[in-house]
Amino acid sequence: MGFLAPWFLAGMLAVGLPVFVHLLRKQTTVPRPVSSLMFFEQGTQSSTRHRRLRYLLLFALRTALILLLALAFARPFFRHKTVLASDKLLLVAIDDSFSMNAAAGGSAPGTRLDEAKRGALSVLAGKAPGQKAQVIALGGQMRLLTQPVEDADELRAAVQGIGPGDGHGDFGGLGRGMRAMAETVHTPMELHLFSDMQESNMPGNFADMVMPGNVALVLHSVGEAKVPNWTVESVQAPGQLVDTKKARVLAVIAGHGASESAAATRTVSLVVNGATIATKKVDVPADGRATVVFEGLDVPYGESRCAVRIDGADRFPNDDASNFAVKRADPERVLFVHQASDARSPLYFGAALAAAAQASFVLQPITPEEASDIDPTKYAFVVLSDVPSVPSILEHTLERNVEDGGSVLVVSGMADSHREHIPVYGGNVGDGHFYARGSLEQEGFSTVGAADKSHPALKDANGFAGTKFFYAASVDPGQARVAARLADGTPLLIDKQVGEGHVLLFASGLDNLTNDLPLNPAFVAFVDQTARYLSGEERVSGARVVDSFVQLRNPANQESAAAASKAAGATVDIIGPDGKRPLSLKEAAAAQSFQLARAGFYQIRFANGRDALIAVNPDARESDLQSIPDDVLKLWSGSAGAAQPAAETAAEETNDVSSAWWWVMLLVLLAALAESALASRYLGTQREAV
């Protein structure tokens, strides 16, 4: 028994009121006039036993009335145990991540997913009559396959419909999903998780896995705890290829779960469009890695579907290959507009483009006077290097090209200090910062104070470390992304999205006068990555991981992209690994991004008209089949023993709460009626015996 408002029990102190009425307050009589008292005999009036009993009964009723009122305001309740299994929601979660495609092992037939589905069907068959259940799939993300229903056929169909997945399991996502579900489902829930309990599925923070208080977690582990497995962990290959002889493919072969004496020799093959063009053997140490290098990549012109494969010699053949896409084409031209007096900038920039590992671009220098009738759509991107102005025809053409998906690199050198308008970028240039004119206390230059290394143009440039900047233009970035700033906060590299394209502004020069970047080793990496980014190769080249996203349209135009694309007919087109189109016509006209949910090759046409072949591979962590230690699993489930069958857990007792307020108030009413009847009888006029 408990009380919701126990402080009202202090009202029981009012029980002294009936004590005062019955014991301390004396009975008074009305004086009557008589002629003389000499004929009266002095005596004491006695009370009968029946009269005393009735007064005690009235006292008891009044005392009980006060006690019951105080008890009623304290809101008493009772806890009692029930064993109604139908009040508990049964949840069956099946892990369909990529690792569940491995063989079950032992005497169990099929894959780990097949074993998990058989266990889930067994649990659903043992649920109590009238009990609701729900089926959940747990792969790259938590998916509710059914609503809470009693229909056994619907539940079985949902379990049997779960197919092999390519995503990475995430137990942290399961914990977050269950906590969100507990906010709307307040009844007890019993969650049965069928998984290989892969250690790589654990989040960095164990608290993300913790279940809410009304969820009882029952773990069902499938497959063996430690299974030897060899896989192609990663592949480095060029996304675009010009010279097939200079191409280089580097593959990392990893071994997981093998004993110290289980070093293995694997045959590694390079496959292009289904044909094996090269083969090598490599010794893979136990629980280690080995590297294989293929020099040269003989692919035809156009897009090729390539892969690195190893011979299958384990229970998990699905991860024995890693896909990548290569596009072979002639070098793309880059238009470099510069002043006639500036011969340094095109020299340094062109040398950096040629020094790249896979030189996919050819520089075409030109002065502004010669660029009036140039068509920028024929170039991978355009560079405006420290030009005070460009012909209006060229500027309008460049602006239209950028809105349609093209890109421009604007280099704002010292010549920009004499004007305000920046071509194509559209911003204003204030007074430049001449760090070389500093005082004696200053060093005469500035360095980069902050760099966003997640920006594609800076990911290999080491944040311009060690570069000295003697001059930088003062440009207001507005809403554009600032990828790098100097030590005094001056924006150095600004990325502005215009329509479907980009305008990248570098607030210094490329002539080795405003800075020493062209002599810094980071310059080649900066030019190479900037060229790949502005040409669009960075967005579509290489391989992606399952469940990653690819940008279909410029996110800066989310409000107007759908209407603009519909008006221009600029819909995207996606063909998945199964040869089907995953987007409807409505989605293709408005979708901003697309999630690559399956492994294989995606053929994509973007909103700006560019085509790309994107290779998608499962997460490499799924190849390590090592299971979570038993003590961690026990901590997660909150149980020190093995998982109980559903028939036993269904009969588990739960606590229910019942309020006793109505019963107490009923007693108060009865006591009040009895007290009123007795009090009216005692307070009447009583005849006294003479």
Side-chain angles (χ1 to χ4, degrees), residues 641-656:
Q644 299 177 351
E648 296 178 13
T649 57
E652 217 175 76
E653 291 184 344
T654 59
N655 289 326
D656 281 352

Side-chain angles (χ1 to χ4, degrees), residues 8 44 66 79 225 281 324 478 513 677:
F8 279 106
T44 302
I66 293 177
R79 290 190 179 94
K281 290 186 177 294
F324 64 97
L513 297 176

Side-chain angles (χ1 to χ4, degrees), residues 578-604:
D578 55 358
K580 299 179 180 179
R581 287 178 167 81
L583 296 182
S584 64
L585 293 177
K586 183 178 180 180
E587 293 171 336
Q592 299 292 325
S593 61
F594 177 74
Q595 187 175 22
L596 306 170
R598 305 293 301 184
F601 292 92
Y602 285 83
Q603 188 73 48
I604 301 179

Side-chain angles (χ1 to χ4, degrees), residues 473-488:
S474 178
V475 180
D476 182 12
Q479 300 297 322
R481 176 183 179 181
V482 179
R485 293 180 182 271
L486 294 178
D488 60 355

Side-chain angles (χ1 to χ4, degrees), residues 471-548:
Y471 169 82
S474 178
V475 180
D476 182 12
Q479 300 297 322
R481 176 183 179 181
V482 179
R485 293 180 182 271
L486 294 178
D488 60 355
T490 300
L492 177 64
L493 188 64
I494 304 173
D495 189 354
K496 182 179 181 180
Q497 294 180 336
V498 180
E500 294 294 331
H502 294 263
V503 177
L504 192 65
L505 186 142
F506 184 63
S508 192
L510 302 175
D511 52 6
N512 194 27
L513 297 176
T514 56
N515 56 70
D516 64 352
L517 179 61
L519 304 182
N520 195 295
F523 183 65
V524 174
F526 169 67
V527 172
D528 183 32
Q529 293 300 325
T530 299
R532 296 180 185 278
Y533 173 60
L534 295 179
S535 66
E537 179 185 339
E538 177 68 24
R539 183 172 62 170
V540 300
S541 64
R544 305 293 182 91
V545 179
V546 169
D547 288 335
S548 62

Side-chain angles (χ1 to χ4, degrees), residues 327-372:
K327 181 180 180 180
R328 182 181 176 183
D330 293 328
E332 294 186 86
R333 293 185 299 167
V334 176
L335 183 65
F336 194 94
V337 183
H338 66 101
Q339 298 185 71
S341 60
D342 180 17
R344 291 171 173 262
S345 297
L347 176 64
Y348 287 123
F349 196 87
L353 277 181
Q358 298 294 335
S360 304
F361 304 97
V362 175
L363 197 68
Q364 180 179 336
I366 195 172
T367 62
E369 294 76 16
E370 302 170 336
S372 299

Side-chain angles (χ1 to χ4, degrees), residues 232 235 237 249 251 267-280 294 296-300 304-311 320-326 601:
V232 182
V235 174
V249 179
T267 301
V268 186
S269 302
L270 179 60
V271 181
V272 176
N273 296 325
T276 301
I277 64 172
T279 301
K280 289 187 177 183
F294 294 96
L297 182 58
D298 189 10
V299 296
S304 296
R305 305 184 179 210
C306 307
V308 173
R309 300 182 183 274
I310 60 174
D311 57 322
D320 290 345
S322 181
N323 301 316
F324 64 97
V326 175
F601 292 92

